[in-house]
Amino acid sequence: MTELILDVIRWGGYLGIFILMALENVFPPVPSEIIMGFGGVLVARGEMAFWPLLLIGTAGTVAGNLFWYWLGHRWSEAQLRFFVMRYGRWLTFEWRGFVRARRLFLRYGDWIVFLFRFSPFLRTIVSLPAGLAHMKLWRFCLFTFAGSLFWNGALILGGRALSGFIAQYEEIVGIAIIAMFVLGVAYYIYRVVTWKPARAKGA
């Protein structure tokens, strides 16, 4: 399993990393922890270089977040709410998550975009209130890039440090990855089944 993931990342190269990281921030097919973590393994093996991987992966993160920023910037709050009501079930995106992110954004300002890059739950959602508040595009890109640079760098370094362990205990790591995928799919199905529109919850 681990070699299969490595083969996919190796085959896609840096362009594949960019696309995967962009998609991960629009509709997460594969967590960034796996993409950049296994990229770090390839760095340890000498098959990828640290800085190109970090910069291109982070650029992909910014590109994915620009999608949500664009929606917030272009649409009104009523249009965003309609979008969440219609498609939130499949994105497992609840309106109250947006409300919470917007409250924090208004309270702490642009810097929350940087800080939320370290949050597994709100790092993408915060792009919507940033766009809705018409945060300057260059500031949004700068803070998203800076926060993502630290996070992705930590993932790459972690993958590089664990490369020996992964090679030595490949079977155990493979089972752990499969278990993580199964739990992720199960959690997604649970969210889809139990999701309710915000108005049904009084949000």
Side-chain angles (χ1 to χ4, degrees), residues 34-157:
I34 291 180
I35 301 169
M36 301 307 283
F38 276 90
V41 174
L42 292 178
V43 169
R45 295 183 178 183
E47 298 180 50
M48 278 190 167
F50 176 83
W51 286 108
L53 175 62
L54 175 60
L55 294 176
I56 293 172
T58 301
T61 299
V62 175
N65 276 274
L66 279 172
F67 169 78
W68 296 108
Y69 171 88
W70 177 82
L71 287 185
H73 185 77
R74 186 176 179 84
W75 290 359
S76 66
E77 182 172 335
Q79 288 174 308
L80 287 176
R81 187 181 179 94
F82 174 79
F83 177 81
V84 174
M85 293 303 98
R86 186 165 187 175
Y87 301 108
R89 175 185 298 275
W90 308 108
L91 298 172
T92 65
F93 187 102
E94 295 184 0
W95 181 253
R96 59 181 174 182
F98 164 79
V99 172
R100 180 171 56 163
R102 181 179 59 180
R103 187 183 304 121
L104 291 170
F105 178 83
L106 293 175
R107 181 175 180 181
Y108 297 107
D110 295 355
W111 282 97
I112 205 70
V113 174
F114 171 84
L115 295 174
F116 272 15
R117 295 314 309 166
F118 305 96
S119 167
F121 304 107
L122 298 175
R123 61 190 180 196
T124 297
I125 295 177
V126 74
S127 301
L128 276 175
L132 191 64
H134 301 296
M135 177 181 179
K136 290 185 182 301
L137 178 61
W138 71 268
R139 288 179 63 84
F140 174 79
C141 291
L142 176 63
F143 288 144
T144 301
F145 187 88
S148 302
L149 195 72
F150 281 102
W151 178 246
N152 291 337
L155 294 177
I156 295 171
L157 292 174

